[in-house]
Amino acid sequence: MLITNTLGQVLVQHVDYRDRCLWAGGAVDKGESPARAAAREAAEELRVGATIARCLAVDWVSVDGIGAPAAMCSR
């Protein structure tokens, strides 16, 4: 998620499993809307409640893609 404040500053998070900062985000669960997934991920990763005001874009990777866990694949 690209989260900004009224000054246009971008929120990034430091995670211990990477050597660089990341935007918050994650996978959309089956039957979940992108807005609901974004709110859930904000709560899980950032421990903040969020209301998603608008969605500009969704970047996605097919669950049938190479390396996707079997539980996520539709086959």
Side-chain angles (χ1 to χ4, degrees):
M1 293 171 281
L2 177 62
I3 300 171
T4 61
N5 64 13
T6 57
L7 300 174
Q9 296 169 313
V10 176
L11 175 69
V12 295
Q13 64 178 338
H14 178 268
V15 292
D16 58 3
Y17 57 88
R18 297 267 176 115
D19 61 354
R20 61 182 187 265
C21 292
L22 304 170
W23 292 350
V28 176
D29 293 337
K30 185 175 182 176
E32 185 177 42
S33 72
R36 176 67 195 118
R40 178 181 49 76
E41 290 290 343
E44 291 175 4
E45 295 186 13
L46 305 172
R47 298 195 179 17
V48 297
T51 300
I52 308 306
R54 60 185 175 148
C55 181
L56 298 178
V58 175
D59 183 24
W60 67 277
V61 176
S62 170
V63 297
D64 293 327
I66 296 171
M72 294 177 61
C73 294
S74 60
R75 297 182 225 159

